[in-house]
Amino acid sequence: MRFLIYRYDPDADKTPRMQAYELDGFEDGAMLLDALFRIKAQDETLSFRRSCGEGVCGSDAMNINGRNGLACITPLDSLKEPVEIRPVPGMPVIRDLIVDMEPFYHQYRAVKPWLTVHDPEPEAEFLQSPEQRDQLDGLYECILCGCCSTACPSFWWNPDKFRGPAALLQAWRFLADSRDQATGERLAELEGPYRLFRCHSIMNCVDVCPKGLNPTKAIGHIKQLMLKHLV
Amino acid sequence: MSWRAAAGLRSWLLQRLSAVYIVAFLLALVFAWGGESVPFDTWRAWVAHPLVNVGLMLFLLALLSHAWVGARDVVMDYVKPVQLRYLVLIGIGLALAGLAIWSLRIVLLVGG
């Protein structure tokens, strides 16, 4: 199998380049991450992030044949050759496939992704009905890999101002939570032309999410709730 | 949060509502005249009817405000230097306002 991999070391290289590798003899069902491990065994200067290897940690997000995805759950036999691998778009490259995720985390932190309760806390636990708990399905599963936000043109143009699909999905996750009491503050924080409303429903986020989540739908819910709070 | 503070929501809502009105008006137009070749005088008399006249003016306003939100969004995404951005926005705003005055004047004159 032929691979073309983005290589860039800002300290040594003037410009990025694409390096070709060729490998054969993969087992049935091998994933792209397996191929990257074998390439790294050949050429240990190649750098990429990975951890769990089974689509749970979200470390190995990369741009695979023009589409963001997780290398560890992308089967090799699903890929057209040569397999072009690049870092996720729009983020500062630290080295090869490793990007600086800080702009992404900054927006994530900004939506205060934790429960806020103004009442005195209950002595035992917070109770939720099964229906209230169901509201969080499709939201809590996010692994923060960043595939969605780095595939979003609105996030490319305004990474410092637009929250991006991943952070907005989490904003809705806490707005939809029956235990959270900061609805007004959360909505007020998202107002203005940039933070929420740079979303033009392009839906790249939905297309690439490796967990099959739908940030565009969550963003629609936030807009509706905002409208409800105003009228 | 108040309407005054809800700048993002306001323009989003304006875009959605104007889109609904534009589609409804165009459908009504197709329903009323679809496929027919209408002589100028008939057409003029139709537009002169107060209900059509007001409906058409609202359509023009909806169309231009929809265009304003859309064009402003494109400028906000792609034109980064602040001074150039204001210049482009003022240009688009003046052009759309000019179109509004011109087209509304025509419709008003027909309505007599």
Side-chain angles (χ1 to χ4, degrees):
Chain A
M1 258 189 117
R2 285 173 301 132
F3 297 87
L4 269 176
I5 301 183
Y6 176 100
R7 301 298 311 270
Y8 183 51
D9 176 359
D11 292 334
D13 305 331
K14 271 209 188 98
T15 52
R17 65 199 152 87
M18 296 301 284
Q19 189 168 347
Y21 296 93
E22 198 155 352
L23 287 172
D24 279 304
F26 289 108
E27 288 172 31
D28 279 351
M31 298 290 172
L32 178 60
L33 185 62
D34 300 316
L36 287 174
F37 280 139
R38 281 186 50 192
I39 292 169
K40 191 164 171 78
Q42 245 180 44
D43 174 0
E44 62 183 13
T45 63
L46 175 67
S47 307
F48 54 89
R49 287 197 183 106
R50 89 281 178 281
S51 183
C52 75
E54 51 191 35
V56 176
C57 74
S59 306
D60 61 350
M62 50 189 73
N63 190 269
I64 308 155
N65 279 348
R67 212 183 125 86
N68 288 353
L70 300 178
C72 57
I73 53 170
T74 303
L76 277 176
D77 55 23
S78 71
L79 297 172
K80 215 177 80 203
E81 286 185 61
V83 182
E84 268 191 47
I85 306 171
R86 297 167 191 273
V88 287
M91 306 291 256
V93 174
I94 295 173
R95 186 173 162 149
D96 298 341
L97 303 177
I98 299 177
V99 296
D100 179 4
M101 295 287 279
E102 186 46 37
F104 175 82
Y105 294 137
H106 169 78
Q107 299 299 353
Y108 177 58
R109 277 194 294 269
V111 303
K112 304 202 168 133
W114 55 79
L115 279 179
T116 302
V117 178
H118 301 311
D119 293 343
E121 289 186 21
E123 278 190 26
E125 70 268 30
F126 289 100
L127 292 179
Q128 242 184 347
S129 70
E131 293 74 36
Q132 288 172 332
R133 171 60 189 75
D134 286 348
Q135 299 299 310
L136 309 181
D137 285 346
L139 306 171
Y140 79 92
E141 298 93 329
C142 174
I143 57 173
L144 296 176
C145 62
C147 282
C148 58
S149 291
T150 58
C152 172
S154 292
F155 192 71
W156 295 339
W157 311 149
N158 291 293
D160 51 334
K161 301 192 197 85
F162 177 48
R163 294 279 176 252
L168 290 171
L169 185 84
Q170 289 316 298
W172 177 243
R173 182 246 171 274
F174 287 95
L175 283 165
D177 195 311
S178 60
R179 298 162 294 180
D180 193 81
Q181 295 178 335
T183 306
E185 292 97 307
R186 292 183 190 280
L187 291 178
E189 202 277 330
L190 288 173
E191 236 313 316
Y194 281 100
R195 294 170 181 177
L196 170 69
F197 286 96
R198 276 306 82 197
C199 168
H200 307 312
S201 306
I202 297 165
M203 294 180 82
N204 278 7
C205 51
V206 184
D207 183 42
V208 299
C209 177
K211 308 303 275 187
L213 308 179
N214 191 334
T216 307
K217 200 169 142 197
I219 291 168
H221 285 309
I222 300 177
K223 287 172 179 170
Q224 276 172 19
L225 186 65
M226 232 178 218
L227 192 59
K228 232 194 220 152
H229 264 245
L230 267 184
V231 292
Chain B
M1 199 163 43
S2 65
W3 276 106
R4 194 196 257 292
L9 188 74
R10 267 203 322 260
S11 35
W12 174 76
L13 201 62
L14 179 64
Q15 194 173 36
R16 297 297 145 126
L17 292 179
S18 58
V20 170
Y21 187 78
I22 290 167
V23 170
F25 187 85
L26 287 178
L27 282 177
L29 203 64
V30 170
F31 189 70
W33 297 105
E36 276 180 72
S37 115
V38 186
F40 178 74
D41 289 334
T42 319
W43 184 247
R44 197 184 159 94
W46 189 66
V47 172
H49 187 282
L51 215 63
V52 178
N53 206 257
V54 172
L56 183 58
M57 284 195 286
L58 282 177
F59 169 76
L60 290 167
L61 283 176
L63 191 69
L64 292 167
S65 42
H66 193 83
W68 165 248
V69 177
R72 196 193 65 146
D73 269 346
V74 173
V75 172
M76 279 170 71
D77 280 346
Y78 293 98
V79 184
K80 294 287 163 188
V82 178
Q83 282 167 328
L84 183 65
R85 177 186 288 194
Y86 280 126
L87 209 67
V88 174
L89 282 178
I90 289 170
I92 294 173
L94 285 178
L96 290 175
L99 280 172
I101 294 168
W102 183 37
S103 57
L104 290 180
R105 182 172 170 270
I106 294 173
V107 178
L108 267 174
L109 286 179
V110 173

